Amino acid sequence: FFLFIEQVKQIEKRDSVLTPKQQIERLIRPGSSYFNLNPFEVLQIDPEVTEDEIKKRFRQLSILVHPDKNQDDPDRAQKAFEAVDKAYKLLLDPEQKKRAIDVIHAGKEYVEHMMKEKKKQLKKDGKSTVVEEDDPEMFRQAVYKQTMKLFAELEIKRKEREAKDMHERKRQREEEIEAHEKAKRDREWQKNFEETRDGRVDSWRTFQAKGKKKEKNRSFLKPPKVKMEQR
């Protein structure tokens, strides 16, 4: 009887997570921009599930959080629905799905490695080699935390690369604009130079002609004779 009661409680706990309000709260909670990086966490499924199971879970969640089904809270429901839709589409892409699974495996391997290191140190100190991660639930939580950390680190790096690429594109664009403006100024200068060339030539010829005329009309004065002093 007590076992039956416990099973009922577990079922109630499981079903309570499936209520629209709780799903919306889960999907848009503080920090959700990083929590939702793990598509399996968003859809609440294991990485080993089949594509049919992914589609089935998507239908369940999308109906629960769809704005049309939550007209009393449409804006928050829309955000939750977008998170579910994004995770679903990501898992339909084999490459993206593999990348997400690799991150989860890396998180698990890291926790297992840390457990071994802890046990090694405890044994060296002559203490019990039992660690808290030996408990399945504690191990699951440790893997969950490490996985979320890895997803967050990858997202930060992605944003940094994106910002760097954007800065580089902006710099290249500015250089292109500057080169274009310089070429435009050079063309305008050349055009003005050619258009005013005849005028400059005529002015120089006129200047030379006036100089020759003045030189021709110039009279030279004879120096005065120097008288010898009489002593």
Side-chain angles (χ1 to χ4, degrees):
F1 176 79
F2 288 108
L3 180 61
F4 173 75
I5 293 296
E6 186 62 26
Q7 289 176 338
V8 170
K9 287 182 179 180
Q10 290 179 358
I11 292 172
E12 288 176 345
K13 182 179 180 181
R14 182 198 66 194
D15 290 346
S16 69
V17 182
L18 297 179
T19 63
K21 183 178 179 180
Q22 288 181 321
Q23 284 291 1
I24 292 173
E25 288 290 342
R26 178 181 71 86
L27 292 165
I28 65 172
R29 67 193 185 280
S32 59
S33 59
Y34 285 102
F35 288 123
N36 294 345
L37 292 173
N38 184 349
F40 297 103
E41 174 65 20
V42 172
L43 299 182
Q44 294 181 310
I45 53 177
D46 293 326
E48 293 78 15
V49 298
T50 64
E51 187 171 311
D52 288 338
E53 290 174 308
I54 293 174
K55 292 179 180 179
K56 181 180 178 180
R57 182 57 178 162
F58 167 71
R59 286 194 294 269
Q60 290 175 340
L61 274 179
S62 61
I63 291 173
L64 284 172
V65 303
H66 198 282
D68 291 346
K69 300 291 184 179
N70 297 274
Q71 296 186 4
D72 59 327
D73 196 7
D75 294 337
R76 284 156 53 86
Q78 179 63 34
K79 292 179 181 178
F81 177 79
E82 288 173 358
V84 172
D85 186 61
K86 181 179 178 180
Y88 173 64
K89 290 177 179 177
L90 189 148
L91 292 180
L92 289 183
D93 184 331
E95 185 177 340
Q96 296 279 4
K97 180 181 178 182
K98 182 181 181 304
R99 187 176 294 120
I101 292 175
D102 288 344
V103 173
I104 294 172
H105 286 169
K108 183 179 178 181
E109 289 174 359
Y110 178 83
V111 173
E112 290 173 342
H113 170 73
M114 292 306 298
M115 286 176 66
K116 289 180 180 178
E117 291 298 313
K118 284 182 182 180
K119 289 176 179 288
K120 187 186 297 183
Q121 186 61 46
L122 289 170
K123 185 177 180 180
K124 183 179 180 180
D125 296 340
K127 299 178 181 179
S128 172
T129 57
V130 176
V131 294
E132 61 179 6
E133 289 85 3
D134 285 328
D135 178 85
E137 180 59 24
M138 295 300 293
F139 177 79
R140 187 192 68 78
Q141 290 181 18
V143 172
Y144 171 81
K145 290 178 181 179
Q146 183 60 31
T147 300
M148 288 296 100
K149 183 180 178 181
L150 291 175
F151 272 110
E153 288 175 351
L154 289 174
E155 178 65 7
I156 291 171
K157 289 180 180 179
R158 185 193 68 79
K159 287 183 177 180
E160 288 176 348
R161 288 195 303 270
E162 189 176 76
K164 185 177 180 180
D165 292 342
M166 186 179 296
H167 177 75
E168 181 62 21
R169 288 195 298 270
K170 182 181 178 181
R171 186 187 65 79
Q172 291 179 352
R173 179 56 181 162
E174 289 174 348
E175 289 181 352
E176 290 174 0
I177 292 173
E178 177 60 26
H180 176 75
E181 291 297 325
K182 184 178 183 301
K184 183 179 178 182
R185 291 193 299 269
D186 290 345
R187 288 195 300 271
E188 289 177 351
W189 184 90
Q190 186 66 28
K191 181 180 178 182
N192 292 333
F193 180 83
E194 292 176 356
E195 288 177 348
T196 59
R197 179 173 54 192
D198 293 342
R200 290 195 306 276
V201 171
D202 291 342
S203 297
W204 175 247
R205 287 173 178 170
T206 302
F207 173 77
Q208 285 184 318
K210 288 182 179 179
K212 290 179 179 179
K213 186 176 181 181
K214 286 181 180 180
E215 187 175 328
K216 184 177 180 180
N217 296 330
R218 185 184 300 164
S219 60
F220 295 95
L221 297 176
K222 295 182 179 180
K225 294 182 178 179
V226 179
K227 295 181 176 180
M228 300 294 292
E229 288 187 4
Q230 295 180 354
R231 294 190 178 185

